[in-house]
Amino acid sequence: VLYYKNIYKTQKYLDTKETLARYCFGKSIDTLMSDSIDALVLAEIEYLENKENPLNDFSAIIMKYSKSMEREFYALFKVLFAYLGYNNPGILSIGYEVQGLKYGLKDIFEHKPNLGTYNYLMKKDEIASTFENIVPDDIKNSFSEKILEFMQVLKDIRNENMHGKNANIKEAEELRDIILGIGKESILTICLEIKARLNALCKESYNR
């Protein structure tokens, strides 16, 4: 399947993907959503082509990073809420609103919310207490100290860009460093590791 996906890609795309796999994500790159991989590779190509021009508008790169992370955050939070909801079905009726439309938590598995919704839901008392009681401490710490914190950084930079502000190279590099793990742990790798562990916890719950 991966071969047939790749035959339609340019050599520059394939070389860039291989570089990201070798130095950033390893084999886990193939566990990303296909749209996420495309957005990351295209963002990297565009960054490398324009990094010597500090006057360039990096907005398109910011949007590609945002697209990739929103997809992966959605995949992560679906697994988290499936685990929490299985252990406490009452939370599935907790409501939230996106662009004037009302939903219950059970709808999140079919309708991708915006970034702010995750933070809103995680602050709901019953979700927060279920999360606190059944999720291992290291995963809880990663959510509060890494995932939710980065989501706010991404949201702030992306929202400025969406409201007409040209993105500069500093903003693009801030996201690039955190996502790819340049000089620090990759937030994307953290997402994938947490999702794998939560999937394992879900299976344990289902098999009890």
Side-chain angles (χ1 to χ4, degrees), residues 39-53:
L40 282 174
V41 172
L42 295 175
E44 183 68 3
I45 291 171
E46 191 169 344
Y47 167 76
L48 293 173
E49 289 177 345
N50 292 282
K51 66 177 183 176
E52 301 303 328
N53 178 14

Side-chain angles (χ1 to χ4, degrees), residues 14-79:
L14 296 175
D15 290 345
T16 304
K17 180 182 175 183
E18 182 180 351
T19 299
L20 291 176
R22 182 180 303 156
Y23 296 108
C24 301
F25 305 121
K27 293 180 179 179
S28 64
I29 194 170
D30 289 320
T31 67
L32 294 169
M33 305 287 182
S34 59
D35 286 352
S36 301
I37 296 174
D38 284 345
L40 282 174
V41 172
L42 295 175
E44 183 68 3
I45 291 171
E46 191 169 344
Y47 167 76
L48 293 173
E49 289 177 345
N50 292 282
K51 66 177 183 176
E52 301 303 328
N53 178 14
L55 299 179
N56 184 68
D57 179 6
F58 287 81
S59 298
I61 297 175
I62 296 291
M63 296 310 294
K64 290 181 177 69
Y65 284 138
S66 178
K67 178 181 178 181
S68 65
M69 291 309 306
E70 286 185 42
R71 290 273 295 172
E72 295 305 319
F73 282 142
Y74 181 46
L76 172 62
F77 275 91
K78 280 198 295 184
V79 178

Side-chain angles (χ1 to χ4, degrees), residues 150-161:
F150 174 69
M151 283 175 61
Q152 188 60 50
V153 172
L154 177 63
K155 182 181 173 186
D156 290 345
I157 292 177
R158 185 205 60 185
N159 285 354
E160 284 188 359
N161 176 241

Side-chain angles (χ1 to χ4, degrees), residues 83 131-143 197-198 201:
Y83 178 56
F131 179 79
E132 182 66 28
N133 290 332
I134 70 170
V135 173
D137 286 344
D138 59 334
I139 295 180
K140 285 189 293 192
N141 291 338
S142 289
F143 263 97
R197 290 192 58 195
L198 286 171
L201 289 171

Side-chain angles (χ1 to χ4, degrees), residues 81 91-96 103-109 121 127:
F81 291 138
I91 69 171
L92 296 174
S93 62
I94 291 175
Y96 65 95
Y103 299 96
L105 184 60
K106 64 182 182 297
D107 298 316
I108 210 165
F109 304 105
L121 288 170
I127 293 176

